[in-house]
């Protein structure tokens, strides 16, 4: 992801897992810089999901990613790419 927002000293980015309709399910990663590594829950059921990166301090709303399919549970870390966030 790429951000034009400047986080303050206690700020972080959080990566959220969303279902196919954009409803929040859980946080899958957190960090202060790019790239972030996320891990999908190993209990995640096959289906369609999205990711969203949001920031705090300042609050930076995220935009959901393109939908992606999970065909079997996974515990493999995956980099977050193709996201952007901007201060509002």
């Amino acid at each position: 992801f790429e951000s034009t927002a400047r986080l303050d000293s206690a700020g972080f980015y959080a990566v959220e897992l969303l279902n196919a309709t954009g409803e929040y399910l859980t946080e899958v990663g957190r960090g202060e810089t790019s790239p972030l590594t996320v891990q999908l829950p190993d209990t995640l059921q096959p289906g369609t999901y999205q990711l969203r990166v949001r920031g705090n301090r300042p609050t930076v709303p995220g935009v959901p990613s393109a939908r992606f399919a999970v065909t079997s549970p996974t515990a493999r870390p995956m980099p977050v790419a193709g996201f952007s966030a901007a201060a509002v």
Side-chain angles (χ1 to χ4, degrees):
F1 78 101
E2 178 181 292
S3 176
T4 57
R6 184 178 172 104
L7 297 175
D8 73 15
S9 61
F12 62 86
Y13 293 104
V15 182
E16 301 171 335
L17 179 65
L18 312 174
N19 66 15
T21 61
E23 296 171 335
Y24 174 86
L25 297 174
T26 190
E27 186 175 294
V28 293
R30 183 180 283 207
E32 298 173 5
T33 60
S34 173
L36 291 174
T37 299
V38 303
Q39 184 165 330
L40 298 177
D42 57 2
T43 57
L44 191 62
Q45 297 298 308
T48 303
Y49 298 92
Q50 300 173 81
L51 294 172
R52 175 176 61 205
V53 178
R54 67 167 179 82
N56 81 332
R57 302 184 95 180
T59 299
V60 180
V63 176
S65 69
R67 291 179 179 94
F68 62 92
V70 172
T71 56
S72 64
T74 180
R76 202 176 80 202
M78 60 186 252
V80 176
F83 295 94
S84 63
V88 179

